[in-house]
Amino acid sequence: MEEENVILVNQNDEQIGLMPKMEAHEKAVLHRAFSVFVLNDKNEIMLQQRAGQKYHSPLLWTNTCCSHQREGETNIQAGSRRLFEEMGFETGLTELFHFIYKAPFDNGLTEHELDHVMIGYYNDAPKINPDEVENWKWMSIEEVAKDIQLQPEIYTVWFKIIFDEFYHFLEEHKI
């Protein structure tokens, strides 16, 4: 299977090229990404635990799903595609905001992403893809915030950044 490309962007989210995903992470090149948060009618977030075979952040807890857009794909199309691939369901998504972060990992790779954060609503159990997701659970926004303080090492870097920097966006979009 051919390695997927990521979309290289400048600080204004304008596409400036394509690069194989691993190369972009090895070179810490800024590229487009997205993070999807799904909430239920109890204002709980569906969290996923990343699969153990992931090339970075294996078995860490994070938002409902995340990945990279494909060339020609809108942020919403990419989020919807990956939500179905990882969690096995579809729901409407709304883009909330985007931000840039850079985070090195122990394995020598670095995430340098312009991350588009989206929100959707769903009340049922997902049908997780075991190649992508180890486990899942619902947690209230308040419980997640407390748990990140107590055990930050079990969460992904980008998830903690979103909570630290952009918690109010999630609070404002409660049902």
Side-chain angles (χ1 to χ4, degrees), residues 11-30:
Q11 301 273 330
N12 298 318
D13 197 25
E14 297 165 333
Q15 182 172 339
I16 57 174
L18 296 172
M19 185 178 282
K21 181 168 67 171
M22 286 303 290
E23 182 181 352
H25 291 119
E26 289 165 357
K27 294 180 175 177
V29 180
L30 182 63

Side-chain angles (χ1 to χ4, degrees), residues 2-173:
E2 186 179 331
E3 183 179 0
E4 203 166 319
N5 285 324
V6 294
I7 300 169
L8 305 181
V9 294
N10 62 22
Q11 301 273 330
N12 298 318
D13 197 25
E14 297 165 333
Q15 182 172 339
I16 57 174
L18 296 172
M19 185 178 282
K21 181 168 67 171
M22 286 303 290
E23 182 181 352
H25 291 119
E26 289 165 357
K27 294 180 175 177
V29 180
L30 182 63
H31 58 279
R32 192 175 289 154
F34 63 86
S35 295
V36 173
F37 284 75
V38 171
L39 279 69
N40 64 17
D41 58 10
K42 297 175 189 165
N43 291 316
E44 297 169 320
I45 302 170
M46 181 184 288
L47 299 182
Q48 73 150 272
Q49 184 181 32
R50 290 169 59 86
Q53 67 269 19
K54 290 284 197 173
Y55 67 94
H56 72 76
S57 309
L59 300 177
L60 294 184
W61 288 93
T62 196
N63 48 287
T64 314
C65 82
C66 52
S67 190
H68 303 94
Q69 295 84 337
R70 294 178 178 159
E71 188 172 32
E73 197 174 42
T74 68
N75 297 325
I76 298 295
Q77 288 169 335
S80 296
R81 169 184 52 81
R82 199 65 185 149
L83 183 62
F84 188 76
E85 290 170 359
E86 290 187 17
M87 303 302 281
F89 68 89
E90 297 175 341
T91 190
L93 298 176
T94 302
E95 188 167 344
L96 297 180
F97 59 89
H98 63 269
F99 69 104
I100 294 174
Y101 76 98
K102 190 173 187 178
F105 295 106
D106 293 340
N107 63 4
L109 301 176
T110 300
E111 286 280 25
H112 189 194
E113 296 184 333
L114 193 150
D115 191 11
H116 293 265
V117 179
M118 295 173 250
I119 194 166
Y121 302 93
Y122 189 75
N123 286 307
D124 297 319
K127 297 172 189 73
I128 61 172
N129 175 348
D131 293 333
E132 300 290 338
V133 180
E134 186 73 23
N135 203 351
W136 74 279
K137 63 184 172 184
W138 291 108
M139 282 181 79
S140 73
I141 294 170
E142 297 77 19
E143 288 173 325
V144 172
K146 287 178 194 167
D147 202 44
I148 287 173
Q149 295 300 313
L150 293 173
Q151 36 186 3
E153 69 282 357
I154 71 166
Y155 292 95
T156 62
V157 170
W158 60 90
F159 185 68
K160 291 184 286 189
I161 291 170
I162 292 169
F163 259 82
D164 288 346
E165 301 289 329
F166 305 109
Y167 182 87
H168 66 278
F169 279 99
L170 298 172
E171 283 287 309
E172 291 167 9
H173 285 83

